[in-house]
Amino acid sequence: MKILVLGGTGAMGRELVPMLISNESNTVTVTSRNKIHSSSRIKYIQGNAKDLSFIRQIINNNQYDVIVDFMLYTIKEFKERYEFYLRSCNQYLFFSSARVYAASEEPIKEDSPRLLDVSTDQDYLFQGEYSLTKAVQEDVLRNSLYNNWVIIRPYKTYSNNRLQLGVFELEQWLYRAIVGKTVVVPGNIKNLHTSLTSSKDTARILLHVIGNNAVNRRIIQIANPDKITWGEIINIYSRCIEDKYGRKMKVYYADDTTDIELLFNNKYRIKYDGMIDRVFDGSSINALVGGKFNWTPADIGLAECTHQALKMKGVKLNDYGVEGMFDRLTQEHISLLDISKLKNMPKYLLHRYFSEKMIDHVKMIVHRKRRK
């Protein structure tokens, strides 16, 4: 098969592409923002995969059997290109998200209610938040006359350079754990269930989808069904920190998430994802692979990836405003050795000593005065 992977250098793509070329009948083309050397059966093309003219040139010069699309689009951008993708291949994989689901007392399946369909929160529905955007884009495909699409709904996928903690990514919590400061967790989530899925497992499942026309016009949810709480996940991270540095990870559960919501602009992600108890059903994956799928146990997979992440040199302080806000919540302070440039100090001090609500209020006053 000739396979085009759009945005294939992320956590899932980095695992998927090598698995695809392990089949000698496959050739893979991958778009990337960065220049990467190609090999005999992997061709990397540098460019912006959000640029439709760039993509048209790639596709018009080659006939692909499968297009695997990891890109994030606005609704407008997706409507501008989905038909072109569907006309240009035998199978188009659109990556949505399991964040589209509403809260459920039962293990979540592909036909479980979505937030877009059942939410009565008008402010949320008006915002066009990520999960709503993905659901609308799903509907564009489902309402189309084409039969060669597959909707993939992964949940939280982890790898050596992607380790999630609540709604936070690795860059927003691991640095503090490494230097011995208290890690801030949005919400008291330690008893909530979630799913963290190995990127290798995700790629292994995708191998059963790519080129399999029997699954066209289907939704496939990829989320480890093994039950695990955030408290158990935090304990895994903490044990890895202790193994490396000889001390446990300190954790602060922020019951009041107002400051975090304002600074990260993630109010609805916290409310409709971070604070929701989620357990997933795995029966459709078992049916897809023709037997019980062997999921990587979270305690083993997360520990392995965390140990690898702790060996990397790139985990560093990258936002002094966030650090200031975290230190204010935990009553800690930055070390002068951690300030790379003097110009970063004012940003840190502002967020260290003033609430995000107060900062936001001052910004609104200044904005109004400028408009007059």
Side-chain angles (χ1 to χ4, degrees):
M1 289 184 294
K2 291 183 68 175
I3 304 164
L4 174 62
V5 183
L6 303 178
T9 56
M12 287 184 280
R14 278 195 291 266
E15 297 290 350
L16 176 63
V17 170
M19 291 186 188
L20 287 173
I21 63 162
S22 65
N23 183 336
E24 293 185 356
S25 65
N26 291 339
T27 59
V28 182
T29 299
V30 183
T31 65
S32 172
R33 288 267 192 177
N34 302 314
K35 187 174 182 178
I36 303 175
H37 292 294
S38 299
S39 61
S40 58
R41 285 187 291 117
I42 306 179
K43 182 180 181 181
Y44 289 96
I45 301 180
Q46 185 178 11
N48 179 10
K50 294 284 287 289
D51 182 347
L52 190 51
S53 61
F54 167 71
I55 294 300
R56 284 185 185 277
Q57 184 177 6
I58 295 173
I59 292 177
N60 288 337
N61 291 337
N62 297 275
Q63 181 60 45
Y64 292 98
D65 298 298
V66 181
I67 297 175
V68 180
D69 192 354
F70 288 112
M71 298 299 294
L72 297 177
Y73 303 111
T74 64
I75 293 171
K76 179 176 182 293
E77 288 171 336
F78 186 69
K79 288 182 176 179
E80 289 172 345
R81 66 197 67 209
Y82 82 95
E83 287 190 275
F84 173 65
Y85 290 155
L86 291 167
R87 289 195 305 267
S88 302
C89 63
N90 297 324
Q91 187 187 60
Y92 170 64
L93 269 65
F94 170 72
F95 277 76
S96 180
S97 169
R99 280 171 54 188
V100 300
Y101 294 114
S104 173
E105 294 184 0
E106 302 295 327
I108 295 171
K109 298 182 178 181
E110 283 82 353
D111 59 355
S112 294
R114 301 180 305 171
L115 285 160
L116 177 65
D117 303 320
V118 301
S119 176
T120 59
D121 184 341
Q122 294 303 312
D123 288 338
Y124 165 65
L125 293 171
F126 179 75
Q127 293 296 321
E129 193 261 348
Y130 173 86
S131 56
L132 298 176
T133 296
K134 285 295 188 182
V136 170
Q137 291 167 346
E138 287 184 359
D139 288 347
V140 169
L141 291 175
R142 295 168 73 182
N143 294 328
S144 75
L145 299 177
Y146 295 88
N147 295 312
N148 59 327
W149 52 264
V150 184
I151 293 170
I152 307 296
R153 287 181 184 159
Y155 195 46
K156 299 180 185 296
T157 303
Y158 67 86
S159 65
N160 293 348
N161 53 12
R162 189 179 192 201
L163 293 165
Q164 298 189 35
L165 178 51
V167 298
F168 286 158
E169 298 290 343
L170 173 151
E171 297 81 6
Q172 294 157 344
W173 70 269
L174 187 56
Y175 165 80
R176 292 181 67 86
I178 288 174
V179 299
K181 296 175 84 171
T182 304
V183 171
V184 176
V185 178
N188 195 356
I189 62 172
K190 55 180 169 287
N191 294 320
L192 294 180
H193 291 93
T194 190
S195 170
L196 289 186
T197 304
S198 162
S199 57
K200 291 181 181 178
D201 286 353
T202 303
R204 287 165 54 213
I205 291 168
L206 290 173
L207 293 181
H208 292 271
V209 177
I210 294 172
N212 179 4
N213 292 329
V215 300
N216 285 356
R217 287 197 71 89
R218 277 183 51 186
I219 297 170
I220 296 176
Q221 161 187 295
I222 304 180
N224 191 331
D226 296 340
K227 295 179 69 172
I228 189 169
T229 65
W230 279 113
E232 291 169 327
I233 292 167
I234 289 168
N235 286 338
I236 294 170
Y237 291 153
S238 183
R239 286 196 296 271
C240 294
I241 294 293
E242 188 173 15
D243 289 343
K244 175 75 173 178
Y245 299 103
R247 48 177 163 73
K248 293 184 180 294
M249 186 171 79
K250 295 180 289 186
V251 179
Y252 170 78
Y253 293 94
D255 290 316
D256 182 354
T257 59
T258 304
D259 282 333
I260 297 169
E261 293 168 13
L262 288 171
L263 188 55
F264 287 95
N265 191 28
N266 63 354
K267 171 182 176 181
Y268 293 112
R269 183 172 182 189
I270 291 174
K271 183 175 182 180
Y272 292 116
D273 181 36
M275 297 302 298
I276 292 180
D277 193 278
R278 292 194 190 276
V279 176
F280 291 87
D281 184 280
S283 57
S284 64
I285 296 300
N286 293 337
L288 175 69
V289 304
K292 185 172 176 56
F293 184 75
N294 185 25
W295 298 91
T296 301
D299 57 341
I300 296 174
L302 279 175
E304 180 181 323
C305 288
T306 305
H307 283 302
Q308 289 300 316
L310 293 173
K311 293 178 182 178
M312 297 189 307
K313 297 180 180 179
V315 182
K316 58 185 179 181
L317 174 57
N318 59 7
D319 191 315
Y320 288 85
V322 171
E323 189 69 6
M325 184 262 287
F326 285 164
D327 278 354
R328 179 164 44 79
L329 293 175
T330 61
Q331 294 299 298
E332 294 170 325
H333 293 84
I334 198 169
S335 166
L336 292 176
L337 296 176
D338 292 330
I339 301 175
S340 59
K341 295 180 181 179
L342 191 59
K343 67 178 183 180
N344 293 318
M345 180 59 84
K347 185 176 182 181
Y348 171 82
L349 293 174
L350 176 66
H351 293 272
R352 173 62 180 82
Y353 291 102
F354 297 94
S355 72
E356 301 307 317
K357 190 172 183 179
M358 184 180 297
I359 295 171
D360 199 53
H361 181 65
V362 172
K363 285 181 180 178
M364 289 178 61
I365 292 174
V366 171
H367 179 69
R368 287 183 191 138
K369 286 184 177 180
R370 285 178 177 173
R371 291 184 62 184
K372 290 182 180 179

